[in-house]
PDB file of all heavy atoms in Angstrom:
ATOM      1  N   SER A  71      -1.223  31.993  38.240  1.00 98.00           N
ATOM      2  CA  SER A  71      -1.673  31.209  37.087  1.00 98.00           C
ATOM      3  C   SER A  71      -2.643  32.032  36.253  1.00 98.00           C
ATOM      4  O   SER A  71      -3.151  33.064  36.715  1.00 98.00           O
ATOM      5  CB  SER A  71      -2.386  29.928  37.546  1.00 98.00           C
ATOM      6  OG  SER A  71      -3.600  30.250  38.187  1.00 98.00           O
ATOM      7  N   GLY A  72      -2.931  31.548  35.063  1.00 98.00           N
ATOM      8  CA  GLY A  72      -3.955  32.176  34.232  1.00 98.00           C
ATOM      9  C   GLY A  72      -5.322  32.076  34.893  1.00 98.00           C
ATOM     10  O   GLY A  72      -6.131  33.006  34.808  1.00 98.00           O
ATOM     11  N   SER A  73      -5.569  30.960  35.567  1.00 98.00           N
ATOM     12  CA  SER A  73      -6.849  30.793  36.272  1.00 98.00           C
ATOM     13  C   SER A  73      -7.006  31.841  37.360  1.00 98.00           C
ATOM     14  O   SER A  73      -8.084  32.441  37.508  1.00 98.00           O
ATOM     15  CB  SER A  73      -6.927  29.400  36.909  1.00 98.00           C
ATOM     16  OG  SER A  73      -6.740  28.400  35.948  1.00 98.00           O
ATOM     17  N   ASP A  74      -5.935  32.078  38.109  1.00 98.00           N
ATOM     18  CA  ASP A  74      -5.990  33.113  39.144  1.00 98.00           C
ATOM     19  C   ASP A  74      -6.145  34.503  38.547  1.00 98.00           C
ATOM     20  O   ASP A  74      -6.807  35.371  39.121  1.00 98.00           O
ATOM     21  CB  ASP A  74      -4.718  33.089  40.003  1.00 98.00           C
ATOM     22  CG  ASP A  74      -4.824  32.106  41.164  1.00 98.00           C
ATOM     23  OD1 ASP A  74      -5.828  31.366  41.233  1.00 98.00           O
ATOM     24  OD2 ASP A  74      -3.902  32.092  42.008  1.00 98.00           O
ATOM     25  N   LEU A  76      -7.848  35.314  35.989  1.00 98.00           N
ATOM     26  CA  LEU A  76      -9.280  35.491  35.708  1.00 98.00           C
ATOM     27  C   LEU A  76     -10.064  35.719  37.000  1.00 98.00           C
ATOM     28  O   LEU A  76     -10.901  36.627  37.086  1.00 98.00           O
ATOM     29  CB  LEU A  76      -9.824  34.254  34.972  1.00 98.00           C
ATOM     30  CG  LEU A  76      -9.354  34.103  33.521  1.00 98.00           C
ATOM     31  CD1 LEU A  76      -9.510  32.661  33.044  1.00 98.00           C
ATOM     32  CD2 LEU A  76     -10.137  35.041  32.608  1.00 98.00           C
ATOM     33  N   SER A  97     -14.425  26.626  25.747  1.00 98.00           N
ATOM     34  CA  SER A  97     -13.172  27.135  26.291  1.00 98.00           C
ATOM     35  C   SER A  97     -12.684  26.172  27.343  1.00 98.00           C
ATOM     36  O   SER A  97     -13.348  25.193  27.665  1.00 98.00           O
ATOM     37  CB  SER A  97     -13.384  28.526  26.911  1.00 98.00           C
ATOM     38  OG  SER A  97     -12.153  29.059  27.382  1.00 98.00           O
ATOM     39  N   PHE A  98     -11.514  26.495  27.897  1.00 98.00           N
ATOM     40  CA  PHE A  98     -11.025  25.745  29.045  1.00 98.00           C
ATOM     41  C   PHE A  98     -11.849  26.155  30.267  1.00 98.00           C
ATOM     42  O   PHE A  98     -12.325  27.289  30.369  1.00 98.00           O
ATOM     43  CB  PHE A  98      -9.530  26.018  29.266  1.00 98.00           C
ATOM     44  CG  PHE A  98      -8.976  25.295  30.454  1.00 98.00           C
ATOM     45  CD1 PHE A  98      -8.976  23.900  30.492  1.00 98.00           C
ATOM     46  CD2 PHE A  98      -8.486  25.994  31.548  1.00 98.00           C
ATOM     47  CE1 PHE A  98      -8.493  23.229  31.606  1.00 98.00           C
ATOM     48  CE2 PHE A  98      -7.998  25.323  32.660  1.00 98.00           C
ATOM     49  CZ  PHE A  98      -8.005  23.941  32.693  1.00 98.00           C
ATOM     50  N   ALA A 100     -11.351  27.118  33.227  1.00 98.00           N
ATOM     51  CA  ALA A 100     -11.032  28.283  34.061  1.00 98.00           C
ATOM     52  C   ALA A 100     -11.779  29.545  33.631  1.00 98.00           C
ATOM     53  O   ALA A 100     -11.996  30.444  34.452  1.00 98.00           O
ATOM     54  CB  ALA A 100      -9.530  28.544  34.045  1.00 98.00           C
ATOM     55  N   THR A 101     -12.166  29.622  32.358  1.00 98.00           N
ATOM     56  CA  THR A 101     -12.911  30.788  31.874  1.00 98.00           C
ATOM     57  C   THR A 101     -14.218  30.962  32.641  1.00 98.00           C
ATOM     58  O   THR A 101     -14.654  32.086  32.894  1.00 98.00           O
ATOM     59  CB  THR A 101     -13.228  30.624  30.363  1.00 98.00           C
ATOM     60  OG1 THR A 101     -12.028  30.367  29.660  1.00 98.00           O
ATOM     61  CG2 THR A 101     -13.899  31.852  29.793  1.00 98.00           C
ATOM     62  N   VAL A 143     -12.744  35.001  24.993  1.00 98.00           N
ATOM     63  CA  VAL A 143     -11.544  34.152  25.008  1.00 98.00           C
ATOM     64  C   VAL A 143     -10.911  34.232  23.624  1.00 98.00           C
ATOM     65  O   VAL A 143     -11.617  34.141  22.614  1.00 98.00           O
ATOM     66  CB  VAL A 143     -11.919  32.686  25.328  1.00 98.00           C
ATOM     67  CG1 VAL A 143     -10.678  31.805  25.365  1.00 98.00           C
ATOM     68  CG2 VAL A 143     -12.680  32.599  26.647  1.00 98.00           C
ATOM     69  N   LEU A 145      -9.402  32.175  21.598  1.00 98.00           N
ATOM     70  CA  LEU A 145      -9.181  30.735  21.584  1.00 98.00           C
ATOM     71  C   LEU A 145      -8.178  30.316  20.513  1.00 98.00           C
ATOM     72  O   LEU A 145      -8.225  30.797  19.383  1.00 98.00           O
ATOM     73  CB  LEU A 145     -10.521  30.020  21.383  1.00 98.00           C
ATOM     74  CG  LEU A 145     -10.577  28.579  21.862  1.00 98.00           C
ATOM     75  CD1 LEU A 145     -10.423  28.472  23.377  1.00 98.00           C
ATOM     76  CD2 LEU A 145     -11.877  27.918  21.424  1.00 98.00           C
ATOM     77  N   ASP A 169      -9.687  36.817  28.229  1.00 99.00           N
ATOM     78  CA  ASP A 169      -8.960  35.586  28.514  1.00 99.00           C
ATOM     79  C   ASP A 169      -7.962  35.378  27.377  1.00 99.00           C
ATOM     80  O   ASP A 169      -8.285  34.823  26.326  1.00 99.00           O
ATOM     81  CB  ASP A 169      -9.926  34.402  28.631  1.00 99.00           C
ATOM     82  CG  ASP A 169      -9.216  33.108  29.020  1.00 99.00           C
ATOM     83  OD1 ASP A 169      -7.983  33.029  28.828  1.00 99.00           O
ATOM     84  OD2 ASP A 169      -9.890  32.174  29.497  1.00 99.00           O
ATOM     85  N   ALA A 171      -5.172  33.695  27.726  1.00 98.00           N
ATOM     86  CA  ALA A 171      -4.294  32.611  28.188  1.00 98.00           C
ATOM     87  C   ALA A 171      -3.554  31.948  27.023  1.00 98.00           C
ATOM     88  O   ALA A 171      -2.387  31.585  27.146  1.00 98.00           O
ATOM     89  CB  ALA A 171      -5.098  31.572  28.965  1.00 98.00           C
ATOM     90  N   GLN A 172      -4.237  31.827  25.888  1.00 98.00           N
ATOM     91  CA  GLN A 172      -3.638  31.119  24.747  1.00 98.00           C
ATOM     92  C   GLN A 172      -3.091  32.080  23.696  1.00 98.00           C
ATOM     93  O   GLN A 172      -2.744  31.642  22.599  1.00 98.00           O
ATOM     94  CB  GLN A 172      -4.696  30.215  24.080  1.00 98.00           C
ATOM     95  CG  GLN A 172      -5.314  29.204  25.025  1.00 98.00           C
ATOM     96  CD  GLN A 172      -6.324  28.283  24.340  1.00 98.00           C
ATOM     97  OE1 GLN A 172      -6.556  28.364  23.142  1.00 98.00           O
ATOM     98  NE2 GLN A 172      -6.921  27.391  25.117  1.00 98.00           N
ATOM     99  N   SER A 193      -1.563  33.300  30.620  1.00 98.00           N
ATOM    100  CA  SER A 193      -1.114  32.095  31.332  1.00 98.00           C
ATOM    101  C   SER A 193       0.275  31.688  30.845  1.00 98.00           C
ATOM    102  O   SER A 193       0.570  31.806  29.648  1.00 98.00           O
ATOM    103  CB  SER A 193      -2.083  30.948  31.065  1.00 98.00           C
ATOM    104  OG  SER A 193      -1.530  29.712  31.470  1.00 98.00           O
ATOM    105  N   PHE A 194       1.089  31.208  31.775  1.00 98.00           N
ATOM    106  CA  PHE A 194       2.403  30.659  31.413  1.00 98.00           C
ATOM    107  C   PHE A 194       2.451  29.148  31.603  1.00 98.00           C
ATOM    108  O   PHE A 194       3.528  28.565  31.737  1.00 98.00           O
ATOM    109  CB  PHE A 194       3.517  31.334  32.241  1.00 98.00           C
ATOM    110  CG  PHE A 194       3.547  32.827  32.104  1.00 98.00           C
ATOM    111  CD1 PHE A 194       3.450  33.648  33.227  1.00 98.00           C
ATOM    112  CD2 PHE A 194       3.670  33.427  30.864  1.00 98.00           C
ATOM    113  CE1 PHE A 194       3.470  35.029  33.118  1.00 98.00           C
ATOM    114  CE2 PHE A 194       3.689  34.811  30.737  1.00 98.00           C
ATOM    115  CZ  PHE A 194       3.590  35.618  31.863  1.00 98.00           C
ATOM    116  N   TYR A 195       1.292  28.530  31.650  1.00 98.00           N
ATOM    117  CA  TYR A 195       1.223  27.054  31.701  1.00 98.00           C
ATOM    118  C   TYR A 195       2.105  26.509  30.567  1.00 98.00           C
ATOM    119  O   TYR A 195       2.164  27.113  29.483  1.00 98.00           O
ATOM    120  CB  TYR A 195      -0.251  26.645  31.531  1.00 98.00           C
ATOM    121  CG  TYR A 195      -0.506  25.182  31.654  1.00 98.00           C
ATOM    122  CD1 TYR A 195      -0.526  24.559  32.899  1.00 98.00           C
ATOM    123  CD2 TYR A 195      -0.743  24.393  30.522  1.00 98.00           C
ATOM    124  CE1 TYR A 195      -0.777  23.196  33.014  1.00 98.00           C
ATOM    125  CE2 TYR A 195      -0.990  23.037  30.629  1.00 98.00           C
ATOM    126  CZ  TYR A 195      -0.995  22.445  31.876  1.00 98.00           C
ATOM    127  OH  TYR A 195      -1.240  21.095  31.983  1.00 98.00           O
ATOM    128  N   LYS A 198       1.341  26.749  26.787  1.00 98.00           N
ATOM    129  CA  LYS A 198       0.951  28.027  26.173  1.00 98.00           C
ATOM    130  C   LYS A 198       2.100  28.571  25.321  1.00 98.00           C
ATOM    131  O   LYS A 198       3.217  28.068  25.369  1.00 98.00           O
ATOM    132  CB  LYS A 198       0.545  29.029  27.256  1.00 98.00           C
ATOM    133  CG  LYS A 198      -0.576  28.506  28.167  1.00 98.00           C
ATOM    134  CD  LYS A 198      -1.884  28.240  27.418  1.00 98.00           C
ATOM    135  CE  LYS A 198      -2.805  27.278  28.140  1.00 98.00           C
ATOM    136  NZ  LYS A 198      -3.638  27.830  29.166  1.00 98.00           N
ATOM    137  N   ASP A 205       3.558  26.600  36.919  1.00 98.00           N
ATOM    138  CA  ASP A 205       2.426  27.519  36.769  1.00 98.00           C
ATOM    139  C   ASP A 205       2.868  28.975  36.874  1.00 98.00           C
ATOM    140  O   ASP A 205       3.832  29.299  37.579  1.00 98.00           O
ATOM    141  CB  ASP A 205       1.386  27.261  37.870  1.00 98.00           C
ATOM    142  CG  ASP A 205       0.439  26.114  37.505  1.00 98.00           C
ATOM    143  OD1 ASP A 205      -0.053  26.117  36.366  1.00 98.00           O
ATOM    144  OD2 ASP A 205       0.211  25.253  38.361  1.00 98.00           O
ATOM    145  N   GLY A 206       2.145  29.833  36.200  1.00 98.00           N
ATOM    146  CA  GLY A 206       2.390  31.267  36.306  1.00 98.00           C
ATOM    147  C   GLY A 206       1.337  32.007  35.513  1.00 98.00           C
ATOM    148  O   GLY A 206       0.729  31.434  34.594  1.00 98.00           O
ATOM    149  N   TYR A 329     -12.350  21.390  22.718  1.00 97.00           N
ATOM    150  CA  TYR A 329     -12.569  20.675  23.948  1.00 97.00           C
ATOM    151  C   TYR A 329     -13.681  19.681  23.699  1.00 97.00           C
ATOM    152  O   TYR A 329     -14.677  20.044  23.066  1.00 97.00           O
ATOM    153  CB  TYR A 329     -12.936  21.661  25.056  1.00 97.00           C
ATOM    154  CG  TYR A 329     -11.769  22.590  25.348  1.00 97.00           C
ATOM    155  CD1 TYR A 329     -11.653  23.804  24.660  1.00 97.00           C
ATOM    156  CD2 TYR A 329     -10.764  22.227  26.250  1.00 97.00           C
ATOM    157  CE1 TYR A 329     -10.562  24.641  24.894  1.00 97.00           C
ATOM    158  CE2 TYR A 329      -9.679  23.066  26.483  1.00 97.00           C
ATOM    159  CZ  TYR A 329      -9.586  24.260  25.797  1.00 97.00           C
ATOM    160  OH  TYR A 329      -8.510  25.074  26.006  1.00 97.00           O
TER     161      TYR A 329
HETATM  162  C1  PLP B  20      -4.748  27.640  30.096  1.00 76.11           C
HETATM  163  C2  PLP B  20      -5.984  28.427  30.108  1.00 76.11           C
HETATM  164  C3  PLP B  20      -6.459  29.067  31.264  1.00 76.11           C
HETATM  165  C4  PLP B  20      -5.852  28.849  32.615  1.00 76.11           C
HETATM  166  O1  PLP B  20      -4.498  29.098  32.715  1.00 76.11           O
HETATM  167  P1  PLP B  20      -3.644  28.354  33.864  1.00 76.11           P
HETATM  168  O2  PLP B  20      -2.370  29.120  33.879  1.00 76.11           O
HETATM  169  O3  PLP B  20      -3.479  26.929  33.422  1.00 76.11           O
HETATM  170  O4  PLP B  20      -4.387  28.452  35.134  1.00 76.11           O
HETATM  171  C5  PLP B  20      -7.570  29.878  31.160  1.00 76.11           C
HETATM  172  N1  PLP B  20      -8.218  30.028  29.996  1.00 76.11           N
HETATM  173  C6  PLP B  20      -7.827  29.408  28.865  1.00 76.11           C
HETATM  174  C7  PLP B  20      -8.579  29.642  27.606  1.00 76.11           C
HETATM  175  C8  PLP B  20      -6.698  28.572  28.885  1.00 76.11           C
HETATM  176  O5  PLP B  20      -6.323  27.959  27.768  1.00 76.11           O
END
Side-chain angles (χ1 to χ4, degrees):
S71 67
S73 304
D74 273 6
L76 289 160
S97 183
F98 179 62
T101 306
V143 181
L145 203 65
D169 184 340
Q172 303 182 2
S193 166
F194 303 124
Y195 184 77
K198 304 297 159 83
D205 276 313
Y329 295 91

